[in-house]
Amino acid sequence: MTDPVPPVIIFVVGALLVPFIKGSWKSAFLLAIPVVGFLNLISISEGTHWVVGFLDYRLVFGRVDRLSLLFGYIFHIISFIAILYSLHVKDNLQLIAGLVYAGSALGAIFAGDLLSFFVFWEMLTVSSIFLIWARRTEASLGAGYRYLLVHAAGGLCLLAGIVIHVNQTGSIEFGYLGLNGLGTYLIFFGFGLNCAWPLLHTWLTDAYPEATITGTIFLSAFTTKVAVYALARSFPGTEALIWIGAIMTGFPIFYAVIENDLRRVLAYSLINQVGFMVCGIGIGTALAINGAVCHAFNDILFKALLFMSMGAIMYRTGKINGTDLGGLYRTMPLTCVFCMVGAASISAFPLFSGFVSKSMVMDAAAGGHMRFIWFILLFASAGVFHHAGIKIPYFAFFSHDSGMRPKEAPIHMLLAMGIAAFLCIFIGSFPGFLYSLLPYPVEYVPYTAPHVVGQTQLLFFSALAFTLLLLSGIYPAEMRCINLDADWFYRKGGRLFFYVMDRTLNKINRVCEGVFVGGITGYLARISKDVVPRFILLGMVSFWVLTGSRGEVLQMKKMNVYNDFLKGTLPVGIGAGVAGLFIVLLFVLS
Amino acid sequence: MKEQNQQSTINNQQSKPYLFDNPKNVKILLRCFYCSLLVLLIIEFFLHKHPHFAWEGWPEFYAIYGFVACVVLVVVAKYILRPLVKRREDYYD
């Protein structure tokens, strides 16, 4: 067997070869990339590999430990699932962008230094944007530009942080940083933007629902999870993260309840789930970190599964709004079942994957006696079941009959969803396998009778609330509308900025034009034209008056001299005299 | 002719009764659901709890919290958040 290579290389080289492979081999080739990548990954031993000298620094492309390996495994698995799901796509742009995007994520998590990490981080942004633009609608174009601008700002912030940090410490090692000094705060903020922290989150809910059907599967897996990895690597135990995470779990669920676009509902629930991870990283104990990364692993699977089921509906019906859908269980039963497996997993039903990981974070919060945090997380657990667990399947597959009878999803989509659904149930039922891969040894036992009953009660009674609210008509009806979010500030603010700039700068421009182009320049031109004869006449007229010239004679003399100067037809002697006078004047003045 | 056949197939499909087209099935599902709620409420008294917080030991804590949380969530989202943030679909256009 050949020596392993950095995982990113397999994906990027694979992506570059995509345009050259045609016909039926293409599917096999695409699927082979994550398989070969996975075989490569398991042949890499823990430790530091592929160290390259760059200027005075050492770039590390293979820092392989239990934390990065876990993310490496799931990134390969989800790449395989997403590629399988995308096999109908003929658009090379999407395929290449998806592969480079997955490769960049792998590059970032195995990077052992901040410089190469930053390069992969930016590659993530650049490649992901094509998954949004590839939908080729006006909305996706606009959302893509906003996504790019927000991430460019975040990336610059991160770069500034890295530069300051490296300048201060002289080290580019990408390890524990902690919050100490401006540089680390900027890095923290840069990670937070990709993590979709509150108020910084709108790039996610704005852009993900506008991406292509298959692009969203890739998007849901990588950007936020790389940011979670980065926080777990550099800022574990940072108290601010506990609160940020708790707010992240709480506020999106309110939006999710009133949102009509079902993929946008999932985007909000993505923030909610990442909140659990961020909170766990903030708590920082071994149990909490294990819970956070374990939940990241599971979230990638069940969130992709939910997005895939919604994507299958979009593929078959061309619609995604709750107002347009309903009753699809009739002709898309398998998609419906897979969606419900995803819904049960994200809601943390016993025997489904969310149950074995989310509860670790909850337990860590309880173990740290964080009452308020624990209450928020519990509220979010009930809420996520409400909007992602019930709302998504209910409005898509049940609810009122939309009259649509689309065909079941294509076979490759069903297979991709089936694999994800199987993994969700497998991990939920046999958590020991995933636990053995976590960064710290696991003593946690998820399946205790009080835990199972308590969690089931929580979920069933929130389902009861949903049922009663729906039957009583209180449940908010799906509406064709948009809901304002923090992106209002830059979407409307951007226009205000443009308006203000337009009014002030253009006004200044007009005034300047009036003063300099129309005013001073013309005045100077007029003055310069006859300044010399006028100056000369000043002296000459006094001389002529003194020598007795008056009336018409004086007038004629003035006219002659003036015209001679303008036309340059002076007698040579006078011209030389004036030039001499000029030199004398210069000499005197200097 | 072929179009007619297709049309009739679609009509047949539409008239084909599906699982929840029959209100009886919906009723059965709801009854099963309510029964399972009852079982969950009762089963709790046979468990030995080891709570982190005192309130976790209170009877039916999780059931009440789950119910109240969801009602609060929906009421706040519908009556407070939606009036504040709802705009026409072409708001940004």
Side-chain angles (χ1 to χ4, degrees):
Chain A
M1 182 149 180
T2 53
D3 287 337
V5 295
V8 52
I9 288 184
I10 293 173
F11 279 79
V12 173
V13 170
L16 294 178
L17 291 177
V18 164
F20 303 105
I21 294 172
K22 308 252 187 273
S24 52
W25 284 102
K26 192 160 191 166
S27 301
F29 173 75
L30 288 169
L31 287 172
I33 293 170
V35 173
V36 172
F38 194 81
L39 293 175
N40 175 62
L41 181 68
I42 55 176
S43 68
I44 304 172
S45 56
E46 282 187 35
T48 304
H49 309 274
W50 309 298
V51 181
V52 180
F54 175 73
L55 303 177
D56 290 337
Y57 300 111
R58 291 167 70 239
L59 301 185
V60 179
F61 290 97
R63 188 251 313 271
V64 182
D65 59 11
R66 291 179 71 83
L67 182 62
S68 53
L69 267 180
L70 185 75
F71 279 87
Y73 294 139
I74 187 61
F75 283 175
H76 279 87
I77 295 171
I78 200 63
S79 300
F80 182 82
I81 292 174
I83 290 170
L84 180 59
Y85 186 81
S86 318
L87 284 185
H88 65 280
V89 174
K90 299 280 175 275
D91 180 10
N92 277 340
L93 175 72
Q94 281 190 60
L95 297 170
I96 294 170
L99 286 167
V100 173
Y101 182 45
S104 316
L106 286 164
I109 56 160
F110 287 113
D113 67 282
L114 288 167
L115 291 187
S116 59
F117 174 79
F118 177 76
V119 171
F120 290 123
W121 182 269
E122 290 302 300
M123 271 172 69
L124 272 177
T125 301
V126 174
S127 50
S128 58
I129 194 131
F130 290 100
L131 296 172
I132 301 164
W133 280 339
R135 194 159 164 210
R136 297 180 172 91
T137 61
E138 206 173 309
S140 69
L141 192 68
Y145 274 119
R146 288 191 292 278
Y147 176 93
L148 185 63
L149 285 175
V150 172
H151 279 283
L156 284 177
C157 196
L158 176 63
L159 180 63
I162 291 173
V163 169
I164 294 172
H165 175 74
V166 173
N167 200 20
Q168 279 172 349
T169 62
S171 160
I172 60 165
E173 197 204 336
F174 175 34
Y176 177 78
L177 297 172
L179 285 178
N180 48 24
L182 179 64
T184 51
Y185 273 100
L186 287 171
I187 295 174
F188 190 59
F189 184 82
F191 289 170
L193 190 133
N194 271 26
C195 219
W197 283 356
L199 301 180
L200 306 176
H201 68 279
T202 42
W203 59 266
L204 197 158
T205 50
D206 182 21
Y208 282 15
E210 301 299 343
T212 62
I213 291 173
T214 53
T216 315
I217 319 301
F218 283 97
L219 289 169
S220 73
F222 294 113
T223 301
T224 48
K225 305 312 178 299
V226 171
V228 165
Y229 165 82
L231 286 175
R233 177 69 72 191
S234 298
F235 298 99
T238 304
E239 199 184 339
L241 289 176
I242 302 176
W243 289 97
I244 294 170
I247 296 168
M248 282 173 79
T249 62
F251 89 90
I253 55 181
F254 292 97
Y255 270 98
V257 169
I258 54 173
E259 179 58 53
N260 190 18
D261 182 332
L262 295 184
R263 289 205 303 175
R264 190 157 278 128
V265 173
L266 288 177
Y268 276 111
S269 88
L270 176 56
I271 300 172
N272 156 280
Q273 294 300 305
V274 173
F276 281 95
M277 301 164 212
V278 171
C279 191
I281 294 166
I283 295 169
T285 58
L287 174 64
I289 299 284
N290 271 345
V293 295
C294 187
H295 201 53
F297 192 100
N298 289 336
D299 178 69
I300 288 173
L301 286 170
F302 57 62
K303 191 51 57 63
L305 178 53
L306 286 166
F307 270 119
M308 283 193 283
S309 63
M310 291 302 109
I313 289 177
M314 253 180 106
Y315 182 70
R316 283 300 191 211
T317 68
K319 298 185 169 75
I320 195 60
N321 284 345
T323 39
D324 302 325
L325 297 173
L328 299 182
Y329 80 93
R330 294 174 174 84
T331 53
M332 300 182 81
L334 288 173
T335 308
C336 175
V337 169
F338 292 139
C339 178
M340 283 162 74
V341 171
S345 302
I346 196 173
S347 315
F349 259 96
L351 299 181
F352 293 89
S353 59
F355 181 79
V356 301
S357 53
K358 194 192 282 179
S359 51
M360 292 169 98
V361 178
M362 299 279 299
D363 251 42
H369 306 291
M370 301 165 190
R371 292 176 200 169
F372 193 59
I373 297 290
W374 186 84
F375 268 114
I376 297 177
L377 296 185
L378 195 63
F379 175 74
S381 301
V384 72
F385 176 50
H386 192 94
H387 73 258
I390 309 179
K391 176 174 172 164
I392 291 282
Y394 181 76
F395 283 106
F397 294 103
F398 303 99
S399 188
H400 72 284
D401 184 4
S402 62
M404 288 188 287
R405 298 286 183 269
K407 279 203 292 187
E408 181 58 278
I411 187 78
H412 66 279
M413 287 191 176
L414 289 175
L415 274 174
M417 287 190 271
I419 294 171
F422 167 78
L423 287 172
C424 284
I425 298 172
F426 177 79
I427 293 168
S429 307
F430 305 100
F433 187 69
L434 178 56
Y435 283 177
S436 68
L437 298 173
L438 295 180
Y440 299 101
V442 179
E443 292 160 13
Y444 181 71
V445 182
Y447 287 103
T448 62
H451 182 206
V452 171
V453 173
Q455 178 70 6
T456 316
Q457 278 185 344
L458 183 82
L459 298 179
F460 269 55
F461 278 84
S462 65
L464 176 68
F466 180 86
T467 313
L468 296 182
L469 290 167
L470 201 66
L471 292 176
S472 64
I474 296 175
Y475 194 84
E478 297 297 286
M479 282 185 188
R480 296 187 162 281
C481 63
I482 59 158
N483 298 310
L484 299 186
D485 201 340
D487 57 346
W488 182 86
F489 290 101
Y490 57 78
R491 292 179 79 167
K492 283 289 176 186
R495 283 176 202 192
L496 179 72
F497 179 77
F498 181 80
Y499 178 79
V500 170
M501 289 296 118
D502 176 43
R503 281 300 168 103
T504 52
L505 292 185
N506 279 341
K507 201 162 200 172
I508 292 173
N509 195 18
R510 274 195 296 279
V511 169
C512 287
E513 191 182 355
V515 170
F516 291 104
V517 179
I520 291 180
T521 319
Y523 180 71
L524 281 177
R526 281 197 302 279
I527 294 280
S528 318
K529 196 175 82 177
D530 58 359
V531 64
V532 177
R534 277 174 189 277
F535 186 70
I536 296 294
L537 280 177
L538 207 69
M540 292 302 287
V541 168
S542 326
F543 174 73
W544 285 325
V545 170
L546 283 178
T547 54
S549 304
R550 294 283 189 280
E552 277 189 16
V553 179
L554 179 67
Q555 206 60 32
M556 210 172 73
K557 280 183 172 173
K558 274 168 73 180
M559 284 293 292
N560 281 344
V561 170
Y562 185 80
N563 285 334
D564 284 349
F565 262 96
L566 278 193
K567 291 172 189 159
T569 52
L570 283 173
V572 176
I574 295 180
V578 171
L581 201 69
F582 181 67
I583 293 168
V584 170
L585 202 69
L586 275 182
F587 181 74
V588 171
L589 288 177
S590 65
Chain B
M1 190 64 192
K2 199 178 172 187
E3 268 181 25
Q4 272 181 355
N5 279 343
Q6 275 183 348
Q7 194 60 44
S8 65
T9 325
I10 290 168
N11 286 341
N12 279 340
Q13 275 183 352
Q14 277 176 349
S15 58
K16 183 180 157 192
Y18 290 94
L19 186 63
F20 296 114
D21 289 342
N22 186 349
K24 221 173 95 183
N25 290 341
V26 178
K27 257 187 193 164
I28 293 173
L29 182 77
L30 279 178
R31 274 192 198 144
C32 289
F33 176 56
Y34 295 138
C35 289
S36 59
L37 293 177
L38 203 66
V39 171
L40 277 170
L41 288 180
I42 296 166
I43 206 171
E44 193 189 311
F45 294 101
F46 300 97
L47 295 176
H48 175 69
K49 297 181 191 172
H50 31 85
H52 283 289
F53 299 115
W55 52 81
E56 281 187 276
W58 296 348
E60 318 300 2
F61 167 76
Y62 281 101
I64 295 166
Y65 191 87
F67 186 84
V68 172
C70 271
V71 173
V72 169
L73 169 66
V74 169
V75 168
V76 169
K78 182 178 180 183
Y79 295 108
I80 298 177
L81 186 64
R82 183 172 257 181
L84 283 177
V85 300
K86 194 181 128 207
R87 294 291 183 278
R88 284 156 50 97
E89 272 187 308
D90 58 357
Y91 176 73
Y92 284 118
D93 296 335

